[in-house]
Amino acid sequence: MNLKVYKSELRKKILAKRDLLSEEEINSKSTLIMENLWTLNEFTSAKNIFLFVNFRSEVRTIPIIERCLEEEKKVILPRTDIKNKQLLLYFVKSLSSLKEGVYGILEPDPASNERAYVENIDCAVVPGSAFDEKGGRMGYGGGFYDRLLPDLRAGVPKIAIAFELQIIDEVPMGYYDQKMDIIVTEKRIIRIAK
């Protein structure tokens, strides 16, 4: 079985498990993840934080975004450019400036948000379908984050937030797949040895 097919099967299996979580479980686990995230110096000391808006059964990020804005951090959110297969970045000052974009995900409205660039990011918090303790990350198959992350300035921490059930023994990694520095779940913080 080739890598692409294997990853696709594995992704389906893990996301099916994640989709079984109740709304209550998602919310309570997301709260614990947020609490763990706020213990990280890499996160709390960052001024410009790249985040994402949760979709389907992902870790709930709206409370994280709100708290960052309350603490006067600059929040950078992505807008999906399907045609060019890339993420366009925007500084977001309020959740009310988001509108539904592709895939039904809330995205920054270019009319009311200032453009940001990858070099503005001090800390990147990213989603994914599966992770391993070596920092391996498997996305959703679009490659959007794998194209963005290599352009981060050297030393910018890449933090994944995920539910414990998304941690597997080994993520099949391809040439372009990006590794994480830290993975935060509701149960623990996994720091990847350099």
Side-chain angles (χ1 to χ4, degrees):
M1 187 187 306
N2 77 20
L3 184 64
K4 203 170 175 164
V5 174
Y6 176 61
K7 281 168 89 165
S8 173
E9 294 301 311
L10 189 57
R11 185 182 295 117
K12 270 190 213 133
K13 201 171 92 182
I14 289 163
L15 294 179
K17 253 186 1 193
R18 194 180 73 183
D19 289 342
L20 291 174
L21 291 171
S22 69
E23 194 60 38
E24 199 179 339
E25 286 174 305
I26 290 174
N27 289 333
S28 65
K29 288 176 194 290
S30 294
T31 299
L32 294 170
I33 289 168
M34 180 162 94
E35 285 166 11
N36 283 339
L37 188 59
W38 247 270
T39 67
L40 299 177
N41 184 46
E42 291 90 340
F43 181 81
T44 55
S45 65
K47 300 261 185 286
N48 299 328
I49 297 183
F50 173 72
L51 280 154
F52 62 96
V53 177
N54 59 269
F55 183 54
R56 294 201 183 114
S57 57
E58 282 180 334
V59 174
R60 297 299 182 242
T61 57
I62 295 292
I64 298 172
I65 294 167
E66 287 175 328
R67 187 166 164 189
C68 283
L69 291 170
E70 277 164 23
E71 295 191 9
E72 297 185 357
K73 291 183 178 299
K74 286 193 168 174
V75 172
I76 298 170
L77 293 177
R79 183 179 169 79
T80 311
D81 175 357
I82 294 283
K83 197 170 77 122
N84 299 305
K85 284 188 97 53
Q86 63 174 343
L87 296 173
L88 303 175
L89 310 179
Y90 291 87
F91 285 111
V92 171
K93 289 192 172 75
S94 128
L95 291 168
S96 62
S97 68
L98 304 179
K99 63 179 194 186
E100 204 170 289
V102 273
Y103 309 122
I105 304 171
L106 287 175
E107 295 185 335
D109 179 354
S112 52
N113 293 289
E114 181 195 339
R115 225 13 240 280
Y117 298 92
V118 71
E119 51 272 18
N120 297 131
I121 299 171
D122 298 328
C123 175
V125 178
V126 299
S129 57
F131 301 91
D132 65 30
E133 292 180 355
K134 293 190 288 295
R137 171 189 177 270
M138 188 163 68
Y140 295 106
F144 290 99
Y145 284 87
D146 289 319
R147 275 189 280 282
L148 175 81
L149 297 174
D151 294 336
L152 290 170
R153 286 176 289 115
V156 169
K158 296 187 282 288
I159 303 172
I161 53 176
F163 299 119
E164 191 65 36
L165 64 80
Q166 293 173 258
I167 309 295
I168 60 174
D169 288 340
E170 191 171 1
V171 167
M173 297 286 282
Y175 179 74
Y176 294 105
D177 294 335
Q178 291 293 304
K179 284 200 163 198
M180 299 292 102
D181 300 310
I182 303 170
I183 301 166
V184 179
T185 77
E186 73 275 19
K187 291 205 165 99
R188 57 190 169 143
I189 291 167
I190 305 164
R191 284 186 174 275
I192 294 27
K194 288 280 182 280

